[in-house]
Amino acid sequence: MASLKPILGELYAQAQSRRSTNWREAFAQVLIDCHSNYCNQRFSLVSEVFQNQLLEHFKGRSLLVFVHIGFTYLLQICQAELELSEKSFPLTNDASLTTLLLEPLGQLLLDVVRPQYIMWTDMFTIAEFVDLIKCKVMEEQLDKYGKTGSLLQPFVAVLLADVRERLIFRAQTFLRDNVSNYCPSATDLDYPSKLELPPSSESSTPDVSTSFPPDYRSSGEKVIYCGVSEKSTEKCFHDGFPPLFHTLTCLTTLNRCLEARTFSGIAQEAVHICCGSIKGASHSIHNQVGFTDGQLFLIKHLLLLREQIATFEPDLTANAVYARNLNFSHLRGHVQRIIAGETSVGSREPGASDLLTLAVQGLPRLVETAVDSRIELEQLLKVACEDYIMFVTRQIVEPMLSFITKITAIRVSGIMTEEAPVRQTAFATPDRIRDIVVTVNKTLHSTLPKHIQKMRIYLAGSVSRETILNPIKSNISEAHAQFAAILYSEYEPELLNKIKLQSPSDLVKSMNDMPS
């Protein structure tokens, strides 16, 4: 083809010189036809050789290695073709060359690659493929080849979009199988024994390196996901809940590979599914072991989920997902009047017939609401903590709370009089008051340390434990204060000296002395 340059050059010069005549459209079309024929001829000459070379390079290599080599070879061929075309047709638009020659050559590479990655079912392998296209091909190879890389940019972008679509499908399948439809085993729900056992041997610990693609590992180090240290990661393998770990690894992977808006939508769904899975496991532990372990399991894993998704908070905030719903609430009044027969349905006068008004103003309103799974997570965590705080509080001071409730009911009803004071009722005799104080003191010093120890097992952070423990202490102190106020107002001072009701300062000191 290079040897034909003088002939093509003379033909091109003659046609170009006649473009200014009355026949310029015809000669311009001649130039376009010449270039099109040239591109078709070049493709017929190059395509077979190029395809054979691709198949030869593919033998004995993984797809990831082959794609890197294949794109290098494609760019070399396309650069040579671009240089040859510019020498033969110096003023021809590059768009026709790209459409007729470069993209068909790229399609030959895609015909070899696409059937391979379509068969992949592992989300992490597809994610690594996306990283390869983004980092190695688009950011390195295309930039290296300058104009040739710019002409192939749209083709590579289409390939990247296709691989990302496959990644999204496999990620949704991964979340469905490993989070939404996950059936916890007896080992997964073996709490608190699972937390109390010593770390298993290295042979029984899952291999972190096999859970992520190679690019997620730094040299000589184990994987660290979502900012968690290596030690914490190993602990998560030992005592973590599998759906939570699967959710975090999935989000970490997708955050690297997808656009922020697409990632935000999947992340909202993943957090919602994970919360449901954790809540379901909590109910199972509650039924098998008890409320305390079930609730602390829920709090522990919700705290861990909230801590880890904080890494993605900027993307989730900047790319909110909105749900659109139809609102018919403004039609409620018209429908109620029609059903109740309070309006003339057949009237044609404006405003006299609700049916006519309903037909005129019956269009529903479109309401957009932001879908934010983080709010759902915060509410679920808040309710879980409040339920646990009230459970522990009632376990310790239930006799006092029951006594205060009964006294309040009597005072509101007006039954209590000077002739029939509270201390003469069956539940408020001095002996009964003494029993209440003894029971509460005994429960306080036996039950609260057990709960504190249980919290130390589930919640490693002292801040998290104090956040839950401080309201419990405050509730206990408040119950003692209300109980003492009733005693001081209704009973003789001698009784107060006989019972061992702790003073507020002694109560606070005894609770603070308990190790937290």
Side-chain angles (χ1 to χ4, degrees), residues 210-357:
T210 61
S211 301
F212 290 85
D215 282 354
Y216 287 77
R217 303 188 300 270
S218 57
S219 59
E221 298 178 355
K222 292 184 179 180
V223 66
I224 298 177
Y225 72 99
C226 297
V228 181
S229 65
E230 178 179 332
K231 182 177 180 181
S232 299
T233 304
E234 293 178 353
K235 184 173 179 58
C236 286
F237 273 116
H238 175 62
D239 57 25
F241 185 51
L244 173 60
F245 176 74
H246 292 317
T247 300
L248 296 178
T249 53
C250 179
L251 293 182
T252 305
T253 302
L254 296 181
N255 190 41
R256 297 167 55 96
C257 302
L258 299 180
E259 295 179 348
R261 184 168 184 79
T262 305
F263 168 76
S264 178
I266 298 178
Q268 300 286 358
E269 179 184 1
V271 172
H272 173 74
I273 294 174
C274 186
C275 287
S277 182
I278 295 173
K279 192 174 180 180
S282 172
H283 286 307
S284 299
I285 296 174
H286 179 192
N287 295 332
Q288 295 175 11
V289 184
F291 179 83
T292 300
D293 291 279
Q295 208 67 9
L296 287 176
F297 170 89
L298 179 62
I299 295 173
K300 169 187 174 66
H301 289 87
L302 290 179
L303 284 172
L304 182 58
L305 178 60
R306 184 182 69 172
E307 176 186 353
Q308 299 307 317
I309 66 172
T311 308
F312 316 121
E313 188 168 354
D315 290 334
L316 298 178
T317 303
N319 300 277
V321 178
Y322 292 91
R324 293 180 174 86
N325 300 296
L326 296 179
N327 184 5
F328 294 90
S329 61
H330 62 290
L331 306 179
R332 183 181 304 166
H334 298 298
V335 175
Q336 289 177 346
R337 283 191 293 271
I338 292 175
I339 295 176
E342 299 176 357
T343 181
S344 176
V345 178
S347 177
R348 297 183 179 180
E349 297 181 5
S353 173
D354 277 293
L355 184 61
L356 183 60
T357 305

Side-chain angles (χ1 to χ4, degrees), residues 389 393 465-476:
I389 291 169
T393 301
R465 294 197 300 271
E466 290 295 333
T467 302
I468 297 176
L469 190 57
N470 287 339
I472 294 175
K473 294 178 179 179
S474 177
N475 290 343
I476 295 174

Side-chain angles (χ1 to χ4, degrees), residues 60 80 85 106 110 152 297 321 377 445 456:
S85 176
L110 182 59
L152 287 177
F297 170 89
V321 178
L377 172 60
H445 291 88
R456 290 175 63 88

Side-chain angles (χ1 to χ4, degrees), residues 40-341:
N40 292 332
Q41 186 64 27
R42 287 299 303 166
F43 180 74
S44 64
L45 291 174
V46 174
S47 59
E48 184 175 357
V49 178
F50 179 70
Q51 190 173 24
N52 291 336
Q53 287 294 325
L54 288 178
L55 296 176
E56 188 67 25
H57 285 306
F58 191 39
K59 292 180 181 178
R61 289 188 172 93
S62 67
L63 184 61
L64 299 178
V65 175
F66 167 72
V67 167
H68 188 271
I69 297 175
F71 266 103
T72 302
Y73 183 49
L74 173 64
L75 287 167
Q76 292 174 351
I77 295 295
C78 291
Q79 187 175 40
E81 291 297 331
L82 179 61
E83 292 175 355
L84 182 60
S85 176
E86 289 177 344
K87 291 179 181 178
S88 303
F89 301 92
L91 299 179
T92 304
N93 191 350
D94 292 330
S96 60
L97 175 68
T98 303
T99 304
L100 298 174
L101 182 56
L102 303 189
E103 288 186 356
L105 289 175
Q107 188 63 40
L108 294 177
L109 175 61
L110 182 59
D111 291 341
V112 178
V113 172
R114 194 172 192 277
Q116 303 299 320
Y117 69 74
I118 284 295
M119 294 188 297
W120 284 345
T121 59
D122 181 52
M123 180 189 69
F124 300 108
T125 305
I126 303 175
E128 188 179 357
F129 190 35
V130 172
D131 282 340
L132 175 66
I133 298 174
K134 284 178 55 182
C135 302
K136 298 295 182 181
V137 177
M138 298 191 74
E139 297 180 5
E140 293 183 11
Q141 290 182 303
L142 295 187
D143 291 343
K144 179 180 178 181
Y145 282 86
K147 184 177 181 181
T148 304
S150 299
L151 295 176
L152 287 177
Q153 185 84 20
F155 167 76
V156 180
V158 171
L159 172 62
L160 178 61
D162 187 59
V163 180
R164 278 175 168 169
E165 185 176 352
R166 179 66 178 171
L167 175 62
I168 292 172
F169 170 73
R170 293 313 310 177
Q172 291 173 335
T173 304
F174 178 86
L175 291 172
R176 182 197 65 199
D177 296 340
N178 296 284
V179 181
S180 180
N181 296 339
Y182 183 82
C183 295
S185 64
T187 304
D188 295 332
L189 302 178
D190 188 19
Y191 285 84
S193 299
K194 191 174 181 181
L195 302 176
E196 295 171 344
L197 291 174
S200 57
S201 61
E202 185 177 355
S203 59
S204 61
T205 301
D207 183 8
V208 182
S209 63
T210 61
S211 301
F212 290 85
D215 282 354
Y216 287 77
R217 303 188 300 270
S218 57
S219 59
E221 298 178 355
K222 292 184 179 180
V223 66
I224 298 177
Y225 72 99
C226 297
V228 181
S229 65
E230 178 179 332
K231 182 177 180 181
S232 299
T233 304
E234 293 178 353
K235 184 173 179 58
C236 286
F237 273 116
H238 175 62
D239 57 25
F241 185 51
L244 173 60
F245 176 74
H246 292 317
T247 300
L248 296 178
T249 53
C250 179
L251 293 182
T252 305
T253 302
L254 296 181
N255 190 41
R256 297 167 55 96
C257 302
L258 299 180
E259 295 179 348
R261 184 168 184 79
T262 305
F263 168 76
S264 178
I266 298 178
Q268 300 286 358
E269 179 184 1
V271 172
H272 173 74
I273 294 174
C274 186
C275 287
S277 182
I278 295 173
K279 192 174 180 180
S282 172
H283 286 307
S284 299
I285 296 174
H286 179 192
N287 295 332
Q288 295 175 11
V289 184
F291 179 83
T292 300
D293 291 279
Q295 208 67 9
L296 287 176
F297 170 89
L298 179 62
I299 295 173
K300 169 187 174 66
H301 289 87
L302 290 179
L303 284 172
L304 182 58
L305 178 60
R306 184 182 69 172
E307 176 186 353
Q308 299 307 317
I309 66 172
T311 308
F312 316 121
E313 188 168 354
D315 290 334
L316 298 178
T317 303
N319 300 277
V321 178
Y322 292 91
R324 293 180 174 86
N325 300 296
L326 296 179
N327 184 5
F328 294 90
S329 61
H330 62 290
L331 306 179
R332 183 181 304 166
H334 298 298
V335 175
Q336 289 177 346
R337 283 191 293 271
I338 292 175
I339 295 176

